[in-house]
Amino acid sequence: MNSIILLVEDDKDLISIYKEILELHGFELQTAVNGEEAVEKFKNVNPSLVIMDGDMPVLDGYEAFKQIKEIDNNAKVVMVTGYSQFDPKNQEAAKEGLIKIISKPLGVDELIALAQQYTEPKIKQ
């Protein structure tokens, strides 16, 4: 397991906040602003965890999730969404291996707990 988290969010302010929090806790971040960019970054960095917004331009989080699972069936992906976990899109994604569905907003404690559960922090020298 490595320490890389791929954060996929089209709201640049949220990316900045999440990135700052996670880096302060010793995690390495890669970011993407849409699903298409997320799939390409996933191929290049092979992150331990993907935290992805469900509703994004270009390619939404659900379609990006499907493409990521085709690349690596063991990929760990968390969907952050404004939809209920009982929404059909979320139910389908859960059947396809989505590890968690989180309703917006994603809290700081939950963000750190996810990172700790699925990655290893960088060793500070």
Side-chain angles (χ1 to χ4, degrees), residues 38-56:
V39 172
E40 287 308 308
K41 287 239 176 135
F42 184 88
K43 290 177 192 175
N44 294 329
V45 301
N46 192 28
S48 294
L49 176 65
V50 179
I51 300 173
M52 184 161 11
D53 185 7
D55 186 26
M56 294 180 293

Side-chain angles (χ1 to χ4, degrees), residues 16-89:
S16 295
I17 292 166
Y18 293 160
K19 184 174 168 86
E20 184 175 336
I21 290 165
L22 290 168
E23 287 177 343
L24 280 172
H25 284 83
F27 298 98
E28 182 179 345
L29 265 284
Q30 292 286 321
T31 61
V33 295
N34 62 57
E36 186 175 278
E37 186 180 351
V39 172
E40 287 308 308
K41 287 239 176 135
F42 184 88
K43 290 177 192 175
N44 294 329
V45 301
N46 192 28
S48 294
L49 176 65
V50 179
I51 300 173
M52 184 161 11
D53 185 7
D55 186 26
M56 294 180 293
V58 182
L59 186 66
D60 75 13
Y62 298 94
E63 187 56 40
F65 163 70
K66 288 178 188 175
Q67 290 183 26
I68 286 170
K69 288 300 267 187
E70 287 173 9
I71 296 164
D72 179 358
N73 194 46
N74 296 314
K76 305 288 186 246
V77 181
V78 172
M79 194 72 67
V80 182
T81 177
Y83 298 114
S84 158
Q85 67 181 18
F86 302 107
D87 181 89
K89 278 183 164 182

Side-chain angles (χ1 to χ4, degrees), residues 95-108:
K95 287 179 194 169
E96 294 173 6
L98 190 67
I99 60 171
K100 190 162 184 150
I101 299 161
I102 299 173
S103 295
K104 286 186 174 182
L106 173 57
V108 172

